């Protein structure tokens, strides 16, 4: 029978035991649980709440258990509910009386809060590393194709010439914000909750600051009731992860589009594509699609947790057990997606000729020609109107800008002169030369700035 | 190397292989996959697309593979991506040439659509059975306590007397709708997609109606492009599941409230409660809380799938692979929740004395006394206003309705007479005697109607 | 002061009044509220609960109020909270004593349940009509271009030839299911809740069946507690709307893709596109994009309502007031989207030459050539492998299938003969001739079946 | 005809115009739009892109338009789509040629990005102020009832004695984190996007830093493509708002519970409660319920925006127009909820006698007695087990801890002595005296710390 059912006459229903057990997934927290118990033990001894001999025995036992788990020799038992009771029971099995003292001045409520905070801190570090690596891949491709021009799109219609590098650096910026958001979440996760007990604190003279220091926490939580019922740090991680996956889904959409026959802008490496069971010719961008599809589950996990927390009275309620699986799923899917996208970006082949050719069709220079008129004295609205009519005529007559004669131009504005033919994709690019623009000069600066950001490794 | 990468020079990246593999979870579809292949093979032979000897060999091989899986002897391989390729590869391994013919006139795109529809049909039947069993438990408790009165609540404030049975039957009604919704979903799931090929149909003279009949489908899908990209049936199941979990969450909330010290209306059986690791006296309604908490993940899975499908061009895209884990998670959590709630309801102890005593406090008869005035000739709005003032006075003077003298009553309306004292919780209950009301007579009828519904077993 | 605060000494806080008032949006239910009150009045008189003269006066008054609202002469007052109290107060203002009798045997709890069910029934009819009209547009375009072939896609990679009509009919099928789902929702909405009172029923001898008949309801609700706290019908509508919007988002995505320079498959009519404030040449598919974007809010409204209902104890709680705005928003956005998409589809121009030309590139006949080998005796897996290698060679040597010599073919399989050149897009289309396939014959049948479905107008 | 349809032969379809117009809601951005245009104009003149006379005229015109809007004299036109075109058109109407120059070196894509960032910055300041005010109310009630003890709950079961002030301060902590999250979001919102043009930057020599300074932005955005398609700051605000509403929903749940007859811990002020249309005695905590219910819509708006952004290719797409209504709705509902909750908390009456009496029932001292045994030498697990059995016996024999004789105690552990009777709710409170605990000493310190936090007003 369970260690904690002294008050009960009957054991728990078998089906209920299976239903309520979290050990099938929370075993994964074992490192944090044991680290936390080691620090707790050290503190209990320092404060003379338990004897130093007991502390040594417990420490020894916990380390032995860790080894058992790592060597797959530990038998996890469903009837012991969770990772905490599995470890404590085994400790008592090994150590007897000393083991029975471990749970002094502690509750599972503050213990799980500690384990989860340690897990999230670690997850954030992993995610940031993976984001940074993907940023490096984006930087690499951008840097490699610094001078490749392509159509920039709005509404998926060709809009204005841009540099491919500028396009990839847009994703670099998004990922930069993702890192910042995760770091902000880290700050709030980095508070040590142990000592909050079940909800009211504990009746022993403990040293919470000491435990925090032992475990590398920057601060301790300030209110015991809040500390055992707070899962903000999980929701905040899942929210930052959702925004990051949204960014990935946009990149994925473009990789799918760009590797289609119709766009033909890039070719994904074979090792990042898959075949069809029936159509022998297929080479599908499955990795990009799957990454895009996984956005759904990451959003779903966020909403699941928000829903679960809604309307719960203080303090701990068993509903909170639902915090783990979604969190683990989000971390695993986000991090693996970042990793495979890194490989995919690093190995993709840019078909720069196709990109550059695409600039010739779609009247992408219309804005520049309108601006040309403005610089000759026209107001912008009138220049825009004139160019609108000119484009309409050009489409109907199947002429590109360079094929329009100066006389034809002048039917739309008397300001046109021969220098209108000097407006080219290249001139358009060079003209956009303010901070953040797509000109070669600005993009070079942006690449330099990106390189500096990537060189910073101590982001936490 | 994979069976389907003839076109590729290089093999897939290891990490990508792990990322894209669905076998870690879709192995679970093996029964449906094999059943589907058996029917497909039978049809191929009937249509003389493959020889009858080949068909016999394939059939034999598929049955052998099923046995291997059931006996845990089958080795699932991640590099073979999914359940379909794992089984087909093994078949070729065992059967050679004959095995190579199985995938004739078929694509994984229509194959997975088939497997999933079979899975969902089966899941619906399971869920409906579990709902019906929970309804039986609700009926049992309602029937057992037919005459127990209690306060009915609105805004969690005591409102009017009701019968406990009437309250439980409200949940019976909700669950009845849940079953109906699932049956409607079943209708739409019950269309056989095989033969849709990759997206355009197949170039063999197959017999789709035959396959449908073999597999117990009522109809066949009508458009091959739609058939391979349609996951409506999954979303619809997840939506019905979400509504059902919402109902469960309301029941759970009440079980938590009612087993609190403050309400004390019920006592949950020990075998459905858990203890605390630190507080020896605790007996917590964890099962109810966990069921309430699981509402989050079921909602999350619905939204995940809706998100994943958003904006996908036709036909099949790899994003769709994300349909499975959420579906499995919803089925598992919904069905197990229904099962443990059944046990919890069946074993709970109603503390009818506490319920009945609660009727004495809170002026629950105010509406009836207002109605009494109406029946004596007052308009309802004036009667309501008079009673509002009377209640205010009674609170200030700490008197219950029975403690107010007739003279005091008459200060609020001259229509009051001695018969006002005949208004009791019992009279209030009996007065609500229209269809669907809480009177003992109506509740008896409702119980009878519920019993009839429960006797119907062939709901599909 | 409010009609219903007899029990209170103080009036409500101003800010609270504004916060809790629903009249800024629920005024929209006025027709249903008045219709419901008219039927309720008729029943009260029939049952002799109020006199027939009072009933006539109330009826007269309610009709006058309806006119006032329709003529914008009615002054909605925030301090009267909702549409019910606004109308009742005005009735008392006009009619005095008779008006005060309207609320006999009724609560706002069952009244709002009635109004909402009437609204949703009406909304469903509107949505189904709009869906049907969009189906007609899809049918029209499909029918008009019966013989136009195009590449079918999976993974946004060209897969196999299909007919454009077949593609549009895939959306027809999706919308057909949407209608069915809405009809199923209608069935469950079509139960009359009035008479449930606050939660326990009413203490008057009313006739609920009569009211149901008057208001065109098929049945009455069966449990008063359930009836006042049930919002399943709203969630079910919002869920069906979400699936429908998901379908629209897929269509929208394709319209955006197809009208890009890269695809160039269609041209949207000018009246359904917009310009840019800066780029004079732009013609953007804004309607399609906005429709795709609106998917978000429709999903959001569904989640909102599911969240709001989670964990609420029975019966009515004020949280339920949050049911309206999301519902109205979903109905308005879904129906307007269906309408503008109808116009957009009806007016789009198919560029069939571009579609047909696209068939020449991308080895779309690879499956058919593999099937050709199978029909000559090869197993499918081996045929697939041979074709994979052939395609790889063809890409490297920049040859299309028709440019490959028979000797070159035979290097990949000795089964190849001159008749391999008979395999064309047209033959591929014709070969897929099973029910639901893309062959001209099957598509003709499908169009015929669609026409019959569209001729049915009494869908409710 | 529209200013920007020079390229089009036909005007936009009426229904489409209504469908795509954002002016019904984005008029609300007029202040930011005009402020932004004023700064843009100033910069254009400074850079000599327009003449200083034109600049003066435009400035004059924009200020006149602002006045028109504020005086309700401005006619918003649906056919002009949005707030930008409405203002620009009016400017041209008033100012003619000068007005036509305003849109030089600008696109609506960067203009709306600017307006929205200004709106969100303002919203954050408002929300933080409202949160701080609610914190003050919580502090006020906590401070006022510093010595009131009550049962602390886990699983809604009485757990251990706590101070009411400690409980309220738990919410204080949650709200503190909410403010921090909003401030972090502010940092990322505080980057000026104007100058990004349609997507590629602009071909004029502008001064973005100058505009940023004029408008009070700390920095400028770094990549023009990212700047026009980034809505992270909206999602991040909505995410922080969702977490904050989740906190509010927990507080709301407790206010509802505590004002029930069963708990009776508090009484809400009449001005914050409502009556029933049918039950004269009712006094309902509607404000708390509605606040709890509104959690749904705030979550829904978050999901809506995440869904809308999913899978969009760069750069601007019309889907983004859907960013506004949900954002406005979240800001309005969050801020009004914070405000009414402030009033409700400030005016609630604590029934401290009921709270204190509740401590006597439920064996809340069991942990302390177990700890007592530990301090006498028992291990915690054994002490817990002994106390479990003792509680079971006490329940069966209906004895409270103080009613158990020392002999009876000693049956469960020989370590019990007479001093066990010194354990009381008061001693239990005082014993929990570590940082963050519920002891009077610690709570006094926490109140002091809270006061200091509240005194800081320059949070942005």
């Amino acid at each position: 029978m369970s260690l904690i059912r002294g008050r009960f006459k009957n054991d728990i229903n078998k089906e209920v035991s299976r239903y309520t057990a979290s050990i099938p997934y929370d075993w994964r927290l074992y490192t944090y649980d044991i680290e936390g118990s080691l620090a707790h033990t050290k503190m209990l001894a320092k404060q003379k709440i338990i004897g130093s001999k007991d502390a040594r025995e417990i420490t020894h036992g916990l380390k032995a258990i860790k080894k058992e788990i790592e060597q797959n020799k530990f038998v996890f038992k469903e009837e012991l509910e969770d990772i905490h009771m599995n470890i404590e029971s085994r400790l008592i099995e090994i150590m007897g009386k000393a083991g029975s003292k471990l749970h002094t001045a502690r509750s599972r409520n503050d213990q799980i809060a500690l384990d989860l905070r340690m897990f999230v801190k670690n997850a954030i570090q992993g995610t940031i590393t993976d984001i940074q690596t993907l940023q490096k891949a984006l930087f690499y491709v951008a840097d490699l194709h610094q001078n490749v021009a392509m159509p920039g799109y709005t509404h998926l219609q060709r809009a204005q010439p841009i540099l491919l590098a500028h396009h990839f650096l847009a994703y670099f910026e998004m990922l930069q914000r993702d890192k910042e958001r995760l770091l902000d979440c880290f700050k709030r996760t980095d508070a040590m909750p142990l000592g909050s007990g079940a909800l009211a604190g504990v009746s022993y003279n403990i040293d919470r600051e000491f435990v925090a220091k032992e475990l590398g926490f920057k601060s301790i939580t300030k209110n015991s009731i809040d500390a055992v019922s707070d899962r903000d740090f999980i929701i905040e991680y899942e929210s930052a992860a959702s925004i990051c996956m949204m960014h990935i889904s946009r990149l994925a959409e473009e990789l799918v589009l760009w590797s289609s026959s119709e766009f033909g802008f890039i070719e994904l490496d074979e090792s990042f594509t898959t075949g069809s069971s029936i159509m022998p010719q297929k080479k599908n961008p499955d990795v990009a699609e799957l990454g895009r599809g996984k956005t759904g589950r990451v959003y779903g996990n966020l909403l699941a947790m928000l829903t679960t927390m809604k309307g719960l009275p203080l303090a701990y309620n068993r509903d909170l057990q639902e915090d783990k699986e979604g969190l683990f799923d989000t971390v695993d899917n986000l991090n693996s997606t970042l990793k495979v996208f890194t490989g995919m970006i690093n190995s993709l082949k840019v078909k720069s000729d196709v990109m550059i050719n695409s600039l010739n069709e779609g009247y992408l220079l219309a804005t520049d020609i309108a601006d040309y008129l403005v610089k000759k004295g026209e107001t912008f609205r009138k220049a825009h109107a004139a160019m609108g009519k000119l484009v309409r005529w050009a489409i109907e007559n199947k002429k590109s800008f360079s094929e329009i004669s100066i006389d034809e131009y002048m039917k739309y504005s008397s300001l046109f002169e021969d220098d209108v033919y000097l407006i080219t994709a290249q001139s358009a690019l060079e003209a956009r030369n303010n901070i953040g623009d797509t000109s070669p000069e600005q993009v070079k600066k942006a690449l330099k700035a990106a390189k500096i950001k990537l060189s910073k490794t101590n982001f936490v």
Side-chain angles (χ1 to χ4, degrees), chain A:
Chain A
M1 191 156 168
S2 156
L3 285 178
I4 59 175
R5 287 181 74 87
R7 169 222 202 287
F8 296 84
K9 204 185 283 179
N10 301 317
D11 211 344
I12 203 163
N13 173 294
K14 271 277 165 206
E15 206 162 11
V16 170
S17 172
R18 198 171 323 116
Y19 186 71
T20 53
S22 55
I23 191 68
Y25 44 89
D26 74 6
W27 65 267
R28 188 169 163 171
L29 297 170
Y30 77 91
T31 337
Y32 309 114
D33 202 70
I34 290 173
E35 272 184 62
S37 288
L38 287 169
H40 181 64
T41 303
K42 199 164 170 185
M43 183 277 293
L44 289 178
K46 184 182 85 73
Q47 297 295 98
K48 307 203 188 310
I49 297 166
I50 64 172
S52 58
K53 187 166 160 285
D54 284 337
R56 271 197 306 279
E57 282 187 34
I58 294 174
T59 302
H60 186 74
L62 287 169
K63 287 181 178 169
I65 289 169
K66 197 176 176 203
K67 207 166 284 173
E68 285 180 6
I69 295 175
E70 278 159 0
Q71 295 172 345
N72 273 318
K73 288 177 183 160
F74 190 93
V75 184
F76 292 106
K77 292 180 189 157
E78 202 173 82
E79 66 270 25
L80 291 173
E81 292 194 43
D82 53 32
I83 185 66
H84 323 303
M85 297 312 294
N86 267 276
I87 290 175
E88 191 186 337
S89 296
R90 178 73 183 131
L91 187 72
I92 294 173
E93 212 172 271
I94 306 178
M95 295 290 148
K97 196 176 168 185
S100 292
K101 294 184 177 176
L102 170 61
H103 210 59
T104 313
R106 189 173 75 172
S107 161
R108 285 185 298 178
N109 294 357
D110 53 350
Q111 194 178 353
I112 187 60
L114 173 65
D115 292 6
L116 284 170
R117 284 175 179 265
M118 291 173 76
F119 176 86
V120 171
K121 282 175 66 181
N122 193 266
I124 290 174
Q125 289 172 308
T127 304
I128 288 180
T129 303
D130 290 338
I131 290 177
Q132 183 115 335
T133 314
L134 177 52
Q135 281 183 308
K136 277 179 190 159
L138 290 164
F139 172 82
Y140 167 76
V141 185
D143 193 53
L144 196 64
H145 303 91
Q146 260 186 67
N147 301 312
V148 176
M150 63 173 291
Y153 293 79
T154 61
H155 308 262
L156 208 66
Q157 297 285 321
R158 292 177 188 164
Q160 294 174 349
I162 56 168
L163 287 183
L164 172 64
H166 193 53
H167 193 96
F168 276 126
L169 286 178
Y171 288 105
F172 186 97
E173 287 297 313
M174 297 178 211
L175 294 172
Q176 192 64 20
R177 285 193 298 277
D178 290 327
K179 288 193 305 190
E180 287 173 20
R181 258 185 291 274
L182 287 164
L183 284 174
D184 286 336
C185 172
F186 191 93
K187 284 186 315 197
R188 277 179 283 278
T189 310
D190 200 12
M192 210 286 303
L194 212 66
S196 302
L199 83 157
V202 297
S203 67
Y204 298 84
N205 176 31
I206 59 174
D207 185 344
R208 296 185 61 211
E209 307 274 15
F210 176 83
V211 175
K213 214 176 148 193
E214 280 289 307
L215 295 171
F217 277 88
K218 204 160 184 180
S219 66
I220 60 172
T221 56
K222 300 287 184 291
N223 180 296
S224 61
I225 297 177
D226 175 47
V228 294
S229 49
D230 169 27
R231 294 295 184 271
D232 287 8
F233 57 98
I234 291 179
I235 301 178
E236 194 173 345
Y237 176 84
E238 292 184 337
S239 163
S242 292
I243 298 178
C244 185
M245 279 304 286
M246 180 269 282
H247 295 151
I248 298 284
S249 77
R250 302 185 76 171
L251 177 58
E253 174 85 4
E254 299 208 309
L255 294 173
V256 170
L257 285 176
W258 292 7
S259 57
S260 69
S261 293
E262 287 71 20
F263 278 81
F265 284 178
I266 56 166
E267 199 176 333
L268 297 177
D269 191 76
E270 283 198 352
S271 59
F272 285 84
T273 56
T274 61
S276 155
S277 76
I278 175 171
M279 296 171 288
Q281 89 279 16
K282 291 302 287 300
K283 182 187 162 195
N284 294 324
D286 286 61
V287 172
E289 295 166 73
L290 199 53
R292 184 178 58 188
K294 282 182 186 296
T295 313
R297 82 198 297 155
V298 173
Y299 289 7
N301 291 333
L302 167 63
L303 295 160
M305 195 57 202
L306 280 169
T307 302
T308 294
M309 297 297 292
K310 181 226 156 191
L312 293 186
L314 302 183
Y316 184 85
N317 299 282
R318 189 64 174 258
D319 313 59
L320 295 192
Q321 179 170 314
E322 288 288 305
D323 54 8
K324 289 169 208 66
E325 285 172 281
L327 171 64
F328 296 165
D329 188 70
T330 288
V331 173
D332 293 346
N333 278 283
L334 175 57
N335 291 1
S336 64
T337 299
L338 289 164
K339 283 190 183 84
V340 290
F341 271 63
T342 297
M344 183 163 49
I345 297 288
N346 269 326
S347 63
L348 63 74
K349 198 183 130 199
V350 170
K351 291 153 87 176
S352 48
D353 51 332
V354 181
M355 287 187 172
I356 289 162
N357 284 338
S358 298
L359 289 169
N360 297 328
E361 214 183 294
Y363 304 96
L364 288 94
L365 301 176
T367 316
D368 288 80
I369 305 180
D371 286 341
Y372 162 94
L373 292 175
V374 168
K375 284 160 192 168
K376 300 240 175 194
E378 188 55 276
T379 69
F380 183 74
R381 265 296 151 251
K382 288 194 180 156
H384 182 287
M387 283 308 298
K389 291 198 185 87
L390 175 60
V391 167
R392 154 149 228 103
W393 176 86
I395 293 169
E396 280 167 359
N397 292 276
K398 298 197 172 137
K399 296 206 176 191
S400 70
F401 283 138
S402 62
E403 293 162 350
I404 297 173
S405 74
I406 189 67
D407 289 347
E408 287 163 344
Y409 266 117
M410 289 179 66
K411 279 183 195 150
Y412 294 88
S413 169
S414 56
L415 296 168
F416 278 118
E417 293 176 87
D418 268 355
D419 58 354
V420 71
Y421 298 106
L422 300 178
I423 301 172
T424 61
Q426 191 58 28
S427 80
L429 285 168
E430 280 164 10
R432 285 169 177 74
N433 198 24
N434 300 292
I435 307 172
D437 286 5
T438 197
S439 74
E441 189 185 328
Q442 292 300 330
V443 170
K444 202 175 286 274
K445 280 186 192 167
L447 284 166
K448 208 169 160 186
K451 201 168 188 175
I452 290 166
K453 278 175 194 161
L454 290 175
S455 68
K456 294 185 184 158
T457 50
N458 59 338
F459 38 72
V460 176

